[in-house]
Amino acid sequence: MVLHAVSLYEAAMFPLRPGGVSADERELRRAIAYRFAARDGLPQRVRVAAAEALGTIEQSRDVKQAQAAVWTLNEAVRECRPGFIHLHDDQTS
């Protein structure tokens, strides 16, 4: 859920068309993303990656930087899932 919430916030901060997201919706998505990122039950690795992604989304005007930060969160979430197997250093299941 934290990955989903952060991704929705990223989409609100970098809409596909100018004015595509209202300020109220953007603020609501922000609040939800921060709430999920602060959950106690999250693994530390996921909490740190979520905080870094949220910080990048907030501070960056570069969509590529924001996407990279969300991708790092995605990887942290995947690595915490049961059954995750590293096949090689650069390849995962």
Side-chain angles (χ1 to χ4, degrees):
M1 288 301 298
V2 69
L3 177 59
H4 184 71
V6 171
S7 295
L8 287 174
Y9 179 48
E10 176 198 9
M13 289 297 288
F14 301 98
L16 294 176
R17 64 182 177 86
V21 178
S22 70
D24 288 342
E25 181 177 354
R26 188 171 26 256
E27 190 57 36
L28 179 61
R29 287 185 183 194
R30 178 184 185 276
I32 291 169
Y34 273 89
R35 193 171 302 133
F36 274 103
R39 292 222 161 172
D40 288 333
L42 290 176
Q44 182 67 22
R45 174 184 319 172
V46 173
R47 291 177 87 174
V48 169
E52 289 174 356
L54 289 168
T56 300
I57 291 167
E58 298 247 333
Q59 296 171 357
S60 176
R61 294 294 165 221
D62 181 8
V63 70
K64 297 288 186 194
Q65 277 186 316
Q67 288 172 342
V70 173
W71 182 255
T72 300
L73 171 58
N74 176 53
E75 291 298 308
V77 169
R78 284 193 67 199
E79 289 176 2
C80 290
R81 293 181 65 192
F84 180 80
I85 302 169
H86 277 282
L87 301 175
H88 300 285
D89 287 340
D90 62 341
Q91 185 179 19
T92 56
S93 66

